[in-house]
Amino acid sequence: MSDPSDISRMLCGQTGDQTLRNHSIYTQMMETVLSFMKLTTRDQQQDPVLEGQKHSQAIREEEALLGHLMIQLVKHVESVATGGQKFQLSWPSMDSRDNVRGGQQAQSSRQTCQDTFIGYDLSNRGLDISSLYHSSFQDHNTYQRNKYHKENNTLGFINLGTSENKLCVDLLKERLRRSDMNYVDDNLLQYPDWRGQPFLREEVARFLTTYCKAPAHLDPENVVILNGCSSVFSSLAMVLCDPGEAFLVPTPFFSGFIFSACLYAKVELLPVHLDSRVTSANTSPFQLTVGKLEQALFEAKMEGKKVRGLLLTNPQNPLGDVYSRDAFDLHVIVDEIYMLTVFDEAITFHSVLSIESLPDPGKTHVIWGTSKGFGLSGFCFGALYTYNREVASAVSAFGFLHGISGIAQYKLTQLLQDREWLDNTYLPINRFRLQAAHKYITNELKALNVPFLNRGSGLFVWINLKKYLHPCTFEEELLLHRRFLDKKLILSPGKSFMCKEPGWFRLVFADNHLLLRSAMHRFHQVLLEQERDWTRKQLEDAIKE
Amino acid sequence: MSTLAQKEIRMAATSLGSSSAQGLPSNEGDDVERECSRKPDQKPLKHYGVGDPSTMVSSSSPHLSSRGSINKWFWDSFEGIQRTCQMDEYDEDKNPNGIINLSISENKLCLDLLTRRLSQSDMLWVEPSLLQYTDWRGHAFLREEVARFLSFYCKSPAPLKPDNVLVLNGSISVFSALATVLCEVGEAFLIPAPFYGSITRHVHRYGSVRLVSVHLDSEVTGMETRPFQLTVEKLEMAFQGAKSEGVKVKGLILINPHNPLGDVYSVEELQGYLDFAKRHELHVIMDEVYMLSVFEKSIEYHSVLSLERLPDPQRTHVMWAPSKDFGMSGVRFSTLYTENQDVATAVASLCCCHSLSGLVQYQMAQLFRDRDWIDQVFLPENHARLKAAHTYVSEELRALGIPFLSRGAGFFIWANLGKYLPEATFDQELLLWRRFLDNRVLLSCGKAFECKEPGWFRLIFSDRIHRLRLGMQRIRQVLEGESQVAADAPSCQTQEPRGPGSHYED
């Protein structure tokens, strides 16, 4: 669990989403001690094996949290004593297993704690950033060290947690090795235009004009290029919000945003909870409605939060929803990184840039990159399109910290301008392969009787494993997640997307067929084990009675 | 000059390179301004200065946060001037009357060698792992290569470890990340001044960290052997001074070889500074980006990584990048070497915002691996060209009777144009800078480096000879009063470009 306060809240049985961010460290400590006591007393009452494991795990986490808070406390006391500085509460790390990295919550926040003890050299925010890293990256690092390989390491980890498109690596490799890519000139080696080289900004504007179906030519002056979409979002958060201010985000959403919002900008993301149940007002599962947004905005205001914007992802990650146009009636950042992953021909994707007259163009900012549609996450490229020149200038100033190599900018330009290859080779083949992989996975899920949201875009399916949780809690969700890990399979649990209902998982299917087959085999094994254990426990309980 | 324009320019000048945490109440802006107009005959009152920053941002936008407004202002003012000049850059054929830019610390002498090497066929390698997410610290193959490279060129007593290496997209990012993970908002680093002033913005942009300048003096006094010499005593005074003002100093930034002085520290000096830092439990950020640009054979360079015994290895963090030494500032690549795993982890966790393309990582590893090319082609040729360019510019300056410092390292000459200022003030320095610009040559003035004494300018010589010739000719015209712009009728009412932020290298 990356967020200590989250654990305590969860274990205390409080409901999920208001954070303890505004509490002092002392309050956090008191609450943790309380929940710690509850845990230990509960431990005396029941002791089935699973419960025992769960408890010892939870207790370890509590210990770790206590340790972490102690360090913060010591540091604060010290800073107050020595520096005479204003007492300042550091920003607690948020619950953000960042699934870009495909990691999962660390078994060992204890490790974090031990490390932070040594980490006396770091500032409080440095400590927070580090513990966030530990919790988010530990399993990604484990994965990096022990990757599945069809010949050399069949027992390695299979990662269906990281949203990457690995279906068209062959096409990209071939394209990127053509001779036109091998070009270097003086200009590419010298200090760049920090907004991105003009030739790339022009190409991005042309590209988005075509593929977003913009009514008029998009202007290269409105484009800012940075080294990845998380950098774009981080910079936007910096220039639109002051520390502690907030964006509204419909949940479930991609947890990488929390990570980017928290790292530097210290911006809060306030969840707009969507519901999986279908009702008269909620015509599809997890539907976002203006009513829900207004409600969330109202609640945030009541709590005294300053909400500066709304963050939307379209097509939706992890749901794969494609919003209809009328949802865009608000001031927004729209992440359209999955734009080119719509593989179902029946679906039409509407970019916000395709809208004839935007309600408030000066407050509409679009993020796009090549990491999903092109599977080029290792290229580290992200683009902002904004009609607001002030925002463009302020974000450009962050180009100093988020610049991309001129050589990479050149290659990207070559790639984006090769429309012949894009339209006749890459995009159709990519769409076809996404369809096939999606079909395979959804058929498997159907055979296993696992409910899922059937959407025609994105690189993932959002699956419901509620019926395997007894009881249906986030604790159990985490345990099931660990069970997958024990079988060397990485999936992302719903909690990491701030989903309100336990039991949802995101499964990435954009990988090669053999790997998916092994993965589904492991997946099935885990579900069988989970069922078997539950039956056994029920029997044991019956015998006891 | 109108009062308004005067105020405008002074504001830009005083703000330049100075910085403070946003939201901190501050009146130091006034201090700086007072100091600027202080008569030259007065002895400096303080041997240090606490940088202050965002106070000069007058306008804020309803669309932007307050930090957004500060960054927009940075972008429009200091950072804007380079853009303005870039658009009107000199070109032999297309724009012969364009601006000769001798203010950006870039090595343009070996671009031919580099473009040739980087377009060889081995550079076009692509494999799936290069296109996908990887270790945020950088690909393992690259970190191994960097460790080998630094072990060799820094002459480390034992092989350096790849696990201590982090790869980021440029030195600016390294400064920013270190500031964030080592300091709280409003805390500070010590830095000997003059120093290249953009660091101020880099540590402020995300980190809201301040810089405390350790003011060095052009006059050689006491035990000193050279102008602007850094001594432990000066470090101590600045540290104590800042402390007495309630500024918490967390670290010391050292640049070696030094920009803009060209100083190369001796082992004894380095040891002294590091011991000082250890005494006060300060982190040391060693910026060694000019390490391989020591072109004078008589000079012996000592990387901090070559020391047998580091006083405080856990608090010593070394930065190196090929941007200067290989003239590749556009590649956006820098390395951090630190034995402190907590710092490494904290910086790595910021790396998801500071990573660089896998393809470029591969190319860099190929480059560092090619020792034959580096040792037999690139370095000798680069040093010879640097030396020739340096010789040309220094002879020109000697002919003009201009005193200057330059010790055979780096790309710059630190020249004293004090005798051309009617009075020794920063206003006059700015006017002279402006006259250079009006005569189509861009230099960096001392104020931009937080220099205490008006009249110093940094001049970059690592450019092609025909540009240098023309640049020197335009400089001479201004100094000999031959330029079109008369000294008594300065054109500085123009507000565009607004500030002398005539340097923004990393």
Side-chain angles (χ1 to χ4, degrees):
Chain A
M1 254 307 151
S2 66
D3 179 6
S5 62
D6 223 29
I7 297 164
S8 63
R9 186 167 61 243
M10 210 160 79
L11 297 175
C12 291
Q14 296 173 0
T15 48
D17 299 292
Q18 341 106 302
T19 66
L20 294 178
R21 225 163 282 140
N22 297 327
H23 291 210
S24 72
I25 283 174
Y26 309 101
T27 323
Q28 280 189 51
M29 282 190 72
M30 286 313 295
E31 289 184 9
T32 313
V33 170
L34 265 175
S35 71
F36 190 66
M37 284 164 63
K38 270 192 208 165
L39 270 173
T40 38
T41 46
R42 204 165 43 157
D43 211 21
Q44 291 159 1
Q45 292 156 8
Q46 332 164 323
D47 64 350
V49 184
L50 189 63
E51 277 296 309
Q53 278 174 358
K54 190 169 77 185
H55 278 300
S56 52
Q57 180 62 41
I59 286 168
R60 278 203 299 279
E61 285 174 349
E62 291 294 287
E63 282 175 3
L65 168 59
L66 274 171
H68 178 77
L69 292 172
M70 282 301 289
I71 299 163
Q72 291 208 348
L73 194 64
V74 168
K75 283 188 73 90
H76 280 309
V77 168
E78 188 202 40
S79 73
V80 169
T82 56
Q85 303 232 335
K86 197 183 83 181
F87 186 92
Q88 185 203 9
L89 179 65
S90 73
W91 192 267
S93 0
M94 300 164 86
D95 178 6
S96 78
R97 276 188 344 75
D98 187 354
N99 288 276
V100 166
R101 263 67 52 181
Q104 56 94 49
Q105 261 102 327
Q107 291 89 331
S108 92
S109 18
R110 151 168 285 193
Q111 164 106 35
T112 308
C113 172
Q114 284 166 344
D115 287 346
T116 45
F117 249 123
I118 317 161
Y120 215 62
D121 287 327
L122 299 178
S123 60
N124 286 318
R125 55 187 176 179
L127 283 173
D128 280 339
I129 289 166
S130 274
S131 54
L132 189 58
Y133 176 80
H134 267 284
S135 53
S136 315
F137 289 76
Q138 187 136 10
D139 293 301
H140 171 67
N141 291 339
T142 317
Y143 164 69
Q144 289 287 346
R145 276 195 299 271
N146 185 15
K147 282 185 190 177
Y148 173 88
H149 188 278
K150 62 182 179 220
E151 284 144 24
N152 308 332
N153 190 18
T154 49
L155 296 178
F157 278 95
I158 296 181
N159 185 357
L160 302 187
T162 304
S163 177
E164 277 190 293
N165 183 355
K166 296 184 181 171
L167 291 169
C168 291
V169 171
D170 55 336
L171 302 179
L172 287 161
K173 187 174 154 180
E174 185 277 322
R175 182 64 192 88
L176 287 166
R177 293 189 71 173
R178 286 191 205 162
S179 59
D180 65 324
M181 291 291 173
N182 194 12
Y183 176 80
V184 182
D185 66 22
D186 293 4
N187 182 35
L188 299 179
L189 296 180
Q190 296 178 34
Y191 279 114
D193 182 334
W194 296 102
R195 294 177 292 166
Q197 295 276 12
F199 58 78
L200 179 55
R201 284 188 289 113
E202 279 159 25
E203 200 50 54
V204 166
R206 262 196 295 274
F207 185 90
L208 293 178
T209 305
T210 307
Y211 293 96
C212 295
K213 302 187 181 61
H217 282 290
L218 297 174
D219 185 350
E221 290 299 300
N222 295 342
V223 176
V224 183
I225 307 285
L226 299 178
N227 69 332
C229 292
S230 49
S231 300
V232 175
F233 179 65
S234 171
S235 309
L236 269 179
M238 287 292 292
V239 309
L240 297 178
C241 301
D242 279 313
E245 293 180 349
F247 289 130
L248 288 182
V249 199
T251 66
F253 69 95
F254 168 57
S255 56
F257 284 126
I258 312 180
F259 196 75
S260 321
C262 176
L263 272 188
Y264 274 126
K266 312 298 181 207
V267 164
E268 196 173 348
L269 299 185
L270 299 175
V272 180
H273 286 299
L274 306 185
D275 204 322
S276 66
R277 278 169 309 169
V278 176
T279 62
S280 57
N282 203 45
T283 53
S284 69
F286 296 105
Q287 192 185 11
L288 175 65
T289 60
V290 174
K292 286 177 196 168
L293 288 174
E294 280 171 353
Q295 177 67 20
L297 192 62
F298 175 76
E299 282 167 15
K301 278 184 183 157
M302 292 301 284
E303 282 179 45
K305 310 265 187 205
K306 191 160 181 191
V307 177
R308 300 284 303 215
L310 165 66
L311 174 62
L312 296 175
T313 309
N314 185 27
Q316 234 287 355
N317 174 9
L319 305 177
D321 274 344
V322 178
Y323 293 131
S324 58
R325 291 182 187 198
D326 58 349
F328 295 119
D329 211 22
L330 293 157
H331 168 97
V332 276
I333 296 173
V334 192
D335 178 3
E336 298 194 349
I337 194 170
Y338 288 96
M339 179 172 93
L340 294 178
T341 65
V342 180
F343 53 85
D344 183 342
E345 274 141 26
I347 293 178
T348 315
F349 162 72
H350 297 286
S351 166
V352 75
L353 296 174
S354 71
I355 297 174
E356 282 284 348
S357 57
L358 279 170
D360 197 349
K363 286 182 176 171
T364 307
H365 319 292
V366 181
I367 301 176
W368 178 74
T370 47
S371 50
K372 310 301 175 191
F374 287 88
L376 287 175
S377 36
F379 233 96
C380 302
F381 158 80
L384 167 71
Y385 193 89
T386 174
Y387 294 99
N388 187 320
R389 288 290 161 85
E390 290 185 340
V391 172
S393 294
V395 170
S396 297
F398 285 88
F400 288 87
L401 295 161
H402 303 299
I404 318 184
S405 167
I407 297 174
Q409 296 196 45
Y410 180 83
K411 287 179 199 272
L412 273 165
T413 308
Q414 289 299 103
L415 198 71
L416 297 181
Q417 76 190 5
D418 190 352
R419 295 298 173 81
E420 153 69 24
W421 177 79
L422 281 176
D423 292 334
N424 299 328
T425 306
Y426 181 78
L427 289 175
I429 295 180
N430 183 48
R431 199 176 305 125
F432 176 78
R433 290 182 183 175
L434 281 172
Q435 265 167 16
H438 180 259
K439 192 170 174 195
Y440 167 72
I441 287 289
T442 49
N443 282 343
E444 289 287 303
L445 291 170
K446 278 177 203 153
L448 294 171
N449 215 7
V450 170
F452 60 92
L453 289 191
N454 198 2
R455 297 294 201 273
S457 67
L459 309 174
F460 28 70
V461 273
W462 186 238
I463 63 177
N464 186 342
L465 299 178
K466 259 179 204 171
K467 65 178 171 189
Y468 295 95
L469 307 185
H470 310 286
C472 187
T473 61
F474 283 113
E475 266 175 296
E476 288 295 328
E477 180 183 288
L478 189 60
L479 284 172
L480 178 56
H481 175 62
R482 293 227 172 95
R483 195 150 226 176
F484 284 126
L485 281 181
D486 290 342
K487 272 270 179 293
K488 300 277 170 54
L489 176 63
I490 302 177
L491 297 183
S492 318
K495 178 82 179 128
S496 64
F497 299 87
M498 277 176 114
C499 185
K500 203 170 80 173
E501 303 164 20
W504 291 89
F505 283 78
R506 188 187 74 174
L507 188 154
V508 174
F509 62 80
D511 218 319
N512 78 65
H513 186 68
L514 281 178
L515 188 102
L516 290 182
R517 260 174 55 185
S518 306
M520 287 317 283
H521 178 70
R522 292 179 187 184
F523 180 77
H524 191 195
Q525 296 290 112
V526 171
L527 295 187
L528 285 177
E529 273 178 30
Q530 183 84 354
E531 269 180 334
R532 195 193 56 213
D533 285 357
W534 171 237
T535 317
R536 188 181 297 158
K537 186 174 177 300
Q538 277 178 314
L539 275 173
E540 281 168 3
D541 289 352
I543 292 167
K544 263 188 228 156
E545 280 166 19
Chain B
M1 181 162 62
S2 78
T3 357
L4 187 70
Q6 203 159 20
K7 188 166 180 245
E8 172 102 355
I9 282 183
R10 191 184 304 131
M11 204 174 73
T14 53
S15 61
L16 204 102
S18 55
S19 146
S20 88
Q22 357 161 347
L24 290 182
S26 158
N27 52 8
E28 280 141 337
D30 294 335
D31 288 345
V32 180
E33 222 169 278
R34 251 181 276 122
E35 269 169 17
C36 289
S37 43
R38 189 167 43 75
K39 290 285 174 283
D41 48 338
Q42 293 174 324
K43 275 281 158 206
L45 299 171
K46 289 202 294 192
H47 294 283
Y48 71 97
V50 182
D52 189 317
S54 40
T55 45
M56 71 290 304
V57 182
S58 46
S59 65
S60 71
S61 154
H63 290 297
L64 300 176
S65 60
S66 52
R67 56 191 180 185
S69 300
I70 293 169
N71 275 289
K72 181 183 172 292
W73 191 76
F74 282 170
W75 180 255
D76 291 341
S77 53
F78 317 124
E79 292 153 7
I81 191 167
Q82 284 293 351
R83 285 196 304 279
T84 315
C85 293
Q86 244 161 20
M87 282 187 286
D88 191 12
E89 206 185 351
Y90 168 82
D91 185 287
E92 226 174 342
D93 309 315
K94 290 176 214 149
N95 192 11
N97 199 33
I99 294 166
I100 298 269
N101 191 339
L102 301 182
S103 78
I104 300 184
S105 181
E106 273 190 306
N107 183 353
K108 296 184 178 173
L109 293 169
C110 289
L111 288 166
D112 55 334
L113 302 178
L114 279 156
T115 48
R116 212 175 307 144
R117 180 64 193 87
L118 289 171
S119 42
Q120 278 175 23
S121 59
D122 65 324
M123 291 291 172
L124 194 55
W125 181 249
V126 182
E127 57 185 284
S129 67
L130 298 177
L131 303 180
Q132 291 162 9
Y133 289 120
T134 178
D135 189 332
W136 292 108
R137 295 175 298 167
H139 277 283
F141 66 79
L142 175 59
R143 287 186 291 111
E144 279 160 25
E145 207 50 57
V146 168
R148 264 196 291 275
F149 181 92
L150 292 179
S151 300
F152 181 77
Y153 290 101
C154 296
K155 302 186 182 66
S156 69
L160 300 173
K161 296 193 188 89
D163 270 348
N164 298 341
V165 175
L166 286 118
V167 171
L168 284 85
N169 68 332
S171 306
I172 301 178
S173 301
V174 178
F175 271 120
S176 172
L178 283 175
T180 305
V181 307
L182 298 178
C183 302
E184 307 298 347
V185 170
E187 292 181 344
F189 288 128
L190 281 183
I191 185 164
F195 64 91
Y196 85 84
S198 354
I199 298 182
T200 309
R201 291 195 299 282
H202 305 332
V203 299
H204 180 265
R205 211 179 299 265
Y206 271 133
S208 295
V209 166
R210 297 189 279 177
L211 294 182
V212 173
S213 308
V214 181
H215 289 304
L216 306 182
D217 212 314
S218 66
E219 215 176 305
V220 179
T221 55
M223 303 288 283
E224 292 167 16
T225 55
R226 60 174 192 264
F228 294 106
Q229 190 173 345
L230 176 65
T231 62
V232 171
E233 191 196 1
K234 288 177 193 165
L235 285 171
E236 195 73 52
M237 279 199 298
F239 177 75
Q240 297 303 342
K243 202 172 159 185
S244 70
E245 283 187 34
V247 176
K248 187 156 186 196
V249 174
K250 275 301 202 29
L252 165 67
I253 297 174
L254 293 174
I255 306 166
N256 185 33
H258 191 269
N259 173 6
L261 300 173
D263 274 357
V264 171
Y265 297 133
S266 70
V267 171
E268 294 70 32
E269 284 175 318
L270 272 177
Q271 203 76 45
Y273 308 148
L274 296 174
D275 284 335
F276 155 83
K278 183 177 184 170
R279 261 198 312 284
H280 297 291
E281 298 188 337
L282 297 181
H283 289 269
V284 177
I285 301 176
M286 285 297 311
D287 177 349
E288 299 193 348
V289 292
Y290 293 98
M291 173 176 91
L292 298 178
S293 302
V294 182
F295 55 87
E296 202 58 73
K297 289 209 170 59
S298 59
I299 293 176
E300 213 183 328
Y301 173 75
H302 302 280
S303 163
V304 76
L305 292 173
S306 73
L307 298 183
E308 279 294 336
R309 187 195 59 82
L310 275 177
D312 196 351
Q314 286 294 310
R315 290 202 180 90
T316 309
H317 318 293
V318 187
M319 238 169 76
W320 181 79
S323 50
K324 309 298 179 187
D325 287 340
F326 286 87
M328 301 194 303
S329 36
V331 171
R332 310 316 304 143
F333 171 80
S334 181
T335 67
L336 169 67
Y337 191 87
T338 176
E339 287 184 28
N340 188 321
Q341 286 309 306
D342 295 314
V343 173
T345 305
V347 171
S349 58
L350 291 169
C351 278
C352 75
C353 290
H354 301 297
S355 49
L356 65 152
S357 166
L359 298 179
V360 176
Q361 295 195 34
Y362 180 82
Q363 293 182 327
M364 290 300 103
Q366 283 299 100
L367 193 75
F368 298 150
R369 206 172 276 145
D370 193 351
R371 297 293 174 75
D372 282 349
W373 178 80
I374 295 175
D375 292 334
Q376 267 133 63
V377 180
F378 181 76
L379 286 180
E381 189 59 33
N382 186 35
H383 290 167
R385 292 182 190 180
L386 281 171
K387 189 163 177 170
H390 178 257
T391 306
Y392 168 73
V393 173
S394 40
E395 273 166 13
E396 286 287 303
L397 291 174
R398 271 189 212 106
L400 284 165
I402 293 170
F404 63 88
L405 296 175
S406 184
R407 294 193 177 77
F411 309 152
F412 21 72
I413 285 178
W414 185 241
N416 187 353
L417 304 183
K419 67 174 176 181
Y420 298 99
L421 306 185
E423 47 179 321
T425 64
F426 286 107
D427 279 351
Q428 287 298 330
E429 180 183 283
L430 192 58
L431 286 176
L432 181 57
W433 172 84
R434 183 72 222 199
R435 279 166 58 206
F436 285 131
L437 186 57
D438 287 342
N439 204 38
R440 319 301 281 160
V441 57
L442 182 62
L443 302 180
S444 316
C445 61
K447 182 69 196 163
F449 297 81
E450 292 284 305
C451 184
K452 262 302 229 198
E453 301 163 26
W456 290 87
F457 282 75
R458 187 187 75 171
L459 196 157
I460 301 296
F461 61 80
S462 49
D463 209 334
R464 295 168 188 100
I465 188 68
H466 65 277
R467 286 165 176 267
L468 288 181
R469 277 219 184 90
L470 194 57
M472 287 313 296
Q473 186 190 329
R474 290 177 182 180
I475 290 172
R476 207 182 311 117
Q477 283 168 354
V478 171
L479 296 180
E480 290 173 352
E482 287 173 16
S483 77
Q484 298 304 306
V485 189
D488 51 353
S491 67
C492 43
Q493 280 86 349
T494 339
Q495 297 192 5
E496 213 25 67
R498 286 169 59 196
S502 36
H503 59 93
Y504 69 59
E505 78 282 15
D506 102 55

